[in-house]
Amino acid sequence: KGESMKYTLVKRVTFTYKGAEDSVSVIKEANSLEDVLKYKVGAEMLEEPADNKKFEILININDVFTYINARPEQPLLLTDEVEDKKQAS
């Protein structure tokens, strides 16, 4: 393909009334996790905090294996959680 993986920062606003769907808007796209994390911190600092509003980093499902394989030194959280539960029992 030649295209690099994209990280997308979105703002999700959740509505509490029945039948309402979340409103999701794209804030910024980045080529690296480091950059998108900087954008996320900046966006959170600029926004008034609210319980129904959060910023999320998304990747395309087609890029998931690329993401996992590119970061072998940082396994997915799930692996860590499984290890913790084994040690606790």
Side-chain angles (χ1 to χ4, degrees):
K1 278 187 175 180
E3 279 184 41
S4 67
M5 199 169 119
K6 298 278 188 216
Y7 298 84
T8 306
L9 176 64
V10 301
K11 178 167 80 170
R12 179 182 299 272
V13 180
T14 307
F15 299 101
T16 52
Y17 54 89
K18 191 176 178 181
E21 293 194 16
D22 291 0
S23 166
V24 178
S25 50
V26 174
I27 305 296
K28 189 100 171 137
E29 226 178 36
N31 292 320
S32 74
L33 183 59
E34 186 181 358
D35 284 347
V36 80
L37 286 169
K38 288 178 192 172
Y39 298 144
K40 182 177 188 282
V41 169
E44 288 169 342
M45 288 171 65
L46 291 170
E47 279 288 329
E48 285 292 318
D51 289 342
N52 71 329
K53 189 176 14 176
K54 62 184 172 185
F55 292 91
E56 300 174 345
I57 297 169
L58 309 181
I59 60 172
N60 187 309
I61 194 165
N62 296 325
D63 292 330
V64 169
F65 290 111
T66 305
Y67 175 79
I68 293 168
N69 293 330
R71 308 174 74 236
E73 73 289 353
Q74 294 178 301
L76 293 179
L77 217 66
L78 185 61
T79 309
D80 296 339
E81 290 170 0
V82 169
E83 287 301 317
D84 290 345
K85 285 184 179 151
K86 279 184 193 168
Q87 291 170 0
S89 54

